[in-house]
Amino acid sequence: MPSGGASVPVVQFRDVTKRFGEVVAARDLDFEVRAGEFLSFLGPSGCGKTTTLRMIAGFEQPSAGEVHLEGRVVNGVPAYRRPVNMVFQHYALFPHLDVAGNVAYGLLQRTPRPPRAEVRRRVAETLELVRLGGFEKRRSWEMSGGQQQRVALARALINEPKVLLLDEPLAALDRKLRRDMQIELQNLQRRLGITFVLVTHDQEEALSMSDRVVIMREGRIVQIGSPRALYDRPADRYVADFVGKSNFFEGRVERVADDSLEIRLASGALLAAACPAPAPAAGAAVSLAVRPEQMILARAAEGLPPDAALTVGARVLNRIFLGEHTEYLLASETLGEFLALVPRQSELNERPFETGESLQAAWSRAAALVLEER
Amino acid sequence: MTAAAGTRDEGRGGGRATTALLLAPASAFFLLLLLLPLAVVIVYSFGERAPAGGYLPAFSFDNYLNLAARGQAFLNTLTLAPLGTLLCALVAYPLAYFLAVRASPRIRTLLLVLVIVPFWASQLLRIYAWLLILGSKGIPALLSLVGIEDLLLVNTRFAVLVGMVYGYLPLMIFPIYVSLEKLDKRLLEASSDLGARPWRTFLQVTLPMSLEGVATGSLLVFILLMGEFIIPALLGGGKVFFIGNALVDLFLQSRNWPYGAAVSIALIAIMLASIVTYMRFVLGKRGQRPNAFM
Ligand SMILES: Nc1ncnc2c1ncn2[C@@H]1O[C@H](COP(=O)(O)OP(=O)(O)OP(=O)(O)O)[C@@H](O)[C@H]1O
Ligand SMILES: [Mg+2]
């Protein structure tokens, strides 16, 4: 990883708010992008991801707060003066230029203009980098979506930006190609050591590629953390729901002990759970989040672990075969409907559960997260 | 198999019949109103003037050999029409740019209507208005108030140019406006993102991508200007003669139809040659992009 200015973040937002008339697209954003990292913004449509990215690029100026690039305030500095480059959502390749013309564009804006031979060499190198060597003379409409994507990438990379901004770069590609490009982007980022900031509403994409993920909701940042931290310790129910699937069971704190809570579910069942860092007060409304893969299913109670927080009888409503996993939709008196994910490996040893079958479900005490309702 | 093939063939046959039917009016129009008269003109151009005027059948090249007698008209047309087209484009572009890029939607509609409004009055009337503006009681009178005396505006090439630019401006504005309007604004952002200052973005993206509109507008205006005769007649006061004026003269005054026919054919030939050259140039520069330009 490049160190450069030691610990100066490449990008820093300080209480940035962006309004479009009445609409507040981004509110009190406060975050930093570290040099060399791969950071993703994740959130549902309209939550302000693109707006945030455009404020880094310089297409939008904040209504309040400060945007810093490499330690300097850049409020009011236009896009063409910022050392960042962007890969646009639908590529925005110049249709009147061929591939070489598109890729060379950034170099040709410099004063003094670099010599022709150097431009040609750099274009060839950069195309090679995105595995498009020899495509110089092609036109954008003569290429597939994936190839156009690579040209857009090469065009943005040739200026060696301090930060590469990517706005849903893979949204237009089919699933298989998207997977390949995800890996390729990740490799490219590691190899070049350039800071990547990516915007997506695809949680799988954000989790699989990024060093850190920023979760946004309605213009605000909800949580920032590594994919693993977000998955294991979501700050609230919104994050738990957005990052991976989760079952939620509502209840009330009955008793707070040293490191465990007793929770009474709406159905009246009482169960124990590990106590979260700021312990909720007795009587507080909480949700209990249990990931489907943490659910343990068995035909008889003997198959369940001894430290189970709660064991309930349930009936299989539906079964979906997902390849390496099977997803079961279950119903129980105590919990209502919930999902369970069973790895194929364990189904090879035992017969899979049938729709309509009655069984026992449980989870271990450590598996359930207690999230305070806000 | 055979049944399916038969159906498909029938279908295609039906499609062809429909196509023919739809093209029939345009084809008939073309044949009767364009090609037929053109054939007549060509035949006439090799004839002789009847003693009392009109046409006498003959086969001679005299009319063509005599074209130089109207050299001045050719020269005027061939300099002022391209110049007028160029000026038209230069004036229209900023206006179209403002309309398409800068103006708020309300102002845009208002201005677009204002651009068309003059077309509701007859061309003759509008040119007469310019005669008044440029004539001795118009601008020269105002200028003499500040000490600039004896300025002759009317009956000059300048007056003809002013009239031509004024008269054909809307035909130039609309195609340019359309090409700028449909320009993807994200391309401008991409250019800026890659480090291009605003004026370089204009030169490298906006301008090349709106050349299509400029080319269409120029073609339209150029063709019409080449055949223009009212504007030079009124604002040029008989001093700035166009081929159009020569034709009016030859057909209606001196009634030398064969010679007039030869001048017409020469004009058509020149126009064809310049349009073909122009299109070659424009298309050649743009590369063979599908769905672009014509
Ligand atoms: N130029 C603008 N003018 C007015 N409102 C805008 C503008 N740009 C964005 N908005 C509004 O700001 C909010 C955030 O938009 P933004 O494009 O940042 O969302 P997003 O998270 O990128 O969504 P998506 O995933 O759909 O692209 C939306 O409510 C949007 O309508
Ligand atoms: Mg967006």
Side-chain angles (χ1 to χ4, degrees):
Chain A
M1 253 182 218
S3 49
S7 64
V8 179
V10 220
V11 180
Q12 190 172 18
F13 272 47
R14 290 207 184 137
D15 289 323
V16 171
T17 294
K18 177 67 187 177
R19 294 187 193 86
F20 293 105
E22 296 285 283
V23 183
V24 184
R27 200 189 291 265
D28 303 329
L29 300 185
D30 211 276
F31 66 88
E32 57 180 54
V33 184
R34 299 171 192 153
E37 81 171 326
F38 195 137
L39 183 79
S40 294
F41 282 83
L42 176 63
S45 185
C47 72
K49 308 179 298 283
T50 298
T51 305
T52 308
L53 205 67
R54 289 171 60 83
M55 283 195 281
I56 303 177
F59 299 132
E60 308 284 1
Q61 301 296 340
S63 314
E66 285 178 355
V67 175
H68 297 240
L69 279 182
E70 298 187 296
R72 259 185 308 236
V73 182
V74 292
N75 289 34
V77 175
Y80 56 88
R81 272 195 229 282
R82 296 192 183 191
V84 302
N85 285 119
M86 181 140 160
V87 176
F88 289 79
Q89 190 162 1
H90 296 282
Y91 320 139
L93 297 178
F94 301 120
H96 61 299
L97 300 176
D98 58 11
V99 168
N102 269 283
V103 177
Y105 198 92
L107 283 184
L108 297 179
Q109 306 316 314
R110 296 188 177 170
T111 37
R113 187 185 278 227
R116 265 164 181 259
E118 194 197 325
V119 171
R120 203 170 305 135
R121 185 179 56 79
R122 290 279 302 280
V123 167
E125 268 175 22
T126 314
L127 281 176
E128 209 63 61
L129 193 70
V130 297
R131 300 199 288 123
L132 274 185
F135 274 66
E136 276 91 342
K137 289 283 160 278
R138 288 281 191 99
R139 292 296 186 131
S140 55
W141 62 87
E142 295 169 341
M143 289 187 298
S144 71
Q147 290 169 334
Q148 290 182 37
Q149 168 73 67
R150 287 159 200 271
V151 177
L153 203 57
R155 184 177 72 171
L157 282 173
I158 201 162
N159 271 352
E160 297 173 344
K162 291 291 184 301
V163 185
L164 184 75
L165 308 171
L166 304 113
D167 190 357
E168 312 235 0
L170 310 178
L173 305 180
D174 65 57
R175 201 180 152 78
K176 173 79 174 62
L177 195 56
R178 194 156 60 211
R179 204 51 229 144
D180 293 347
M181 277 304 284
Q182 283 173 6
I183 294 166
E184 212 171 310
L185 273 181
Q186 225 177 347
N187 287 339
L188 206 59
Q189 195 262 341
R190 295 224 182 92
R191 196 139 46 101
L192 299 174
I194 291 179
T195 312
F196 276 32
V197 176
L198 177 120
V199 156
T200 180
H201 59 248
D202 179 342
Q203 52 123 341
E204 190 191 318
E205 191 168 296
L207 296 186
S208 65
M209 289 201 285
S210 334
D211 297 318
R212 291 193 306 149
V213 179
V214 180
I215 310 271
M216 288 187 76
R217 174 196 195 178
E218 289 168 8
R220 290 178 196 276
I221 293 176
V222 186
Q223 191 176 2
I224 306 179
S226 71
R228 195 172 286 276
L230 292 175
Y231 194 85
D232 291 343
R233 295 185 302 280
D236 60 14
R237 184 167 168 168
Y238 176 81
V239 178
D241 199 22
F242 209 81
V243 179
K245 280 182 180 168
S246 202
N247 295 303
F248 295 103
F249 308 118
E250 274 122 42
R252 221 161 254 293
V253 177
E254 185 94 350
R255 208 166 61 81
V256 186
D258 298 343
D259 61 343
S260 81
L261 297 172
E262 273 182 15
I263 294 168
R264 170 110 28 214
L265 295 183
S267 59
L270 192 69
L271 62 102
C275 189
V286 291
S287 335
L288 213 56
V290 185
R291 300 277 183 202
E293 71 270 19
Q294 307 269 32
M295 286 283 180
I296 303 155
L297 304 183
R299 291 211 158 76
E302 291 81 67
L304 298 173
D307 69 330
L310 182 71
T311 305
V312 296
R315 201 165 48 84
V316 178
L317 292 182
N318 195 14
R319 182 176 71 176
I320 300 169
F321 179 63
L322 296 174
E324 60 262 56
H325 290 97
T326 306
E327 188 182 86
Y328 292 95
L329 176 63
L330 302 129
S332 98
E333 303 245 313
T334 357
L335 300 176
E337 290 187 4
F338 62 95
L339 291 172
L341 209 57
V342 177
R344 178 158 174 76
Q345 198 49 51
S346 73
E347 289 200 329
L348 286 178
N349 303 331
E350 239 184 298
R351 184 164 52 85
F353 304 108
E354 300 297 333
T355 304
E357 193 175 342
S358 286
L359 43 76
Q360 301 288 310
W363 64 84
S364 72
R365 247 180 61 163
L369 278 166
V370 178
L371 302 168
E372 268 194 271
E373 297 279 339
R374 307 186 195 181
Chain B
M1 264 309 281
T2 33
T7 323
R8 206 179 302 144
D9 263 339
E10 252 167 54
R12 206 182 294 152
R16 215 177 279 150
T18 314
T19 309
L21 205 68
L22 286 171
L23 284 178
S27 313
F29 182 87
F30 224 70
L31 210 67
L32 287 174
L33 301 176
L34 274 162
L35 293 182
L36 213 59
L38 190 65
V40 172
V41 174
I42 291 175
V43 170
Y44 270 34
S45 71
F46 293 106
E48 275 172 16
R49 180 182 189 269
Y55 169 70
L56 209 64
F59 186 77
S60 89
F61 289 95
D62 288 355
N63 293 320
Y64 285 101
L65 295 175
N66 205 19
L67 279 179
R70 304 287 161 166
Q72 191 56 47
F74 275 103
L75 198 65
N76 284 339
T77 311
L78 287 176
T79 51
L80 291 182
L83 193 60
T85 309
L86 185 70
L87 287 176
C88 231
L90 289 180
V91 175
Y93 198 96
L95 197 63
Y97 184 86
F98 176 80
L99 282 171
V101 181
R102 292 289 162 83
S104 71
R106 252 207 358 237
I107 295 185
R108 178 183 306 167
T109 318
L110 180 74
L111 288 179
L112 280 173
V113 170
L114 284 181
V115 168
I116 314 172
V117 160
F119 265 82
W120 295 346
S122 106
Q123 196 205 6
L124 208 60
L125 216 63
R126 287 181 289 134
I127 300 304
Y128 265 115
W130 274 104
L131 202 54
L132 290 177
I133 295 171
L134 297 174
S136 56
K137 302 233 174 60
I139 291 175
L142 285 177
L143 286 178
S144 73
L145 292 179
V146 294
I148 302 169
E149 299 287 346
D150 293 334
L151 188 73
L152 185 70
L153 288 180
V154 90
N155 298 355
T156 59
R157 289 163 165 265
F158 171 76
V160 174
L161 272 178
V162 168
M164 294 197 309
V165 171
Y166 166 79
Y168 292 98
L169 201 55
L171 288 183
M172 189 68 95
I173 289 177
F174 279 103
I176 300 179
Y177 169 78
V178 169
S179 69
L180 283 170
E181 164 86 290
K182 70 178 188 206
L183 177 69
D184 185 353
K185 304 294 177 287
R186 278 172 320 153
L187 295 179
L188 307 181
E189 285 187 345
S191 169
S192 174
D193 184 63
L194 292 165
R197 284 147 193 285
W199 66 271
R200 297 206 60 171
T201 295
F202 175 78
L203 287 180
Q204 296 172 119
V205 182
T206 313
L207 193 61
M209 300 222 38
S210 56
L211 274 186
E212 215 174 290
V214 177
T216 312
S218 300
L219 207 61
L220 247 111
V221 170
F222 177 73
I223 291 171
L224 292 173
L225 281 184
M226 288 286 282
E228 183 58 51
F229 68 94
I230 295 180
I231 295 173
L234 291 180
L235 295 175
K239 289 208 179 110
V240 186
F241 235 63
F242 268 37
I243 299 176
N245 304 98
L247 289 176
V248 172
D249 188 47
L250 286 172
F251 278 97
L252 303 181
Q253 253 81 57
S254 52
R255 292 180 48 77
N256 191 346
W257 291 6
Y259 186 45
V263 172
S264 289
I265 295 298
L267 177 64
I268 290 172
I270 291 172
M271 235 140 85
L272 262 177
S274 40
I275 290 168
V276 167
T277 316
Y278 179 77
M279 301 260 283
R280 274 261 171 84
F281 182 70
V282 171
L283 286 176
K285 277 218 119 150
R286 297 187 47 81
Q288 299 303 321
R289 182 149 79 105
N291 81 10
F293 200 72
M294 314 228 129

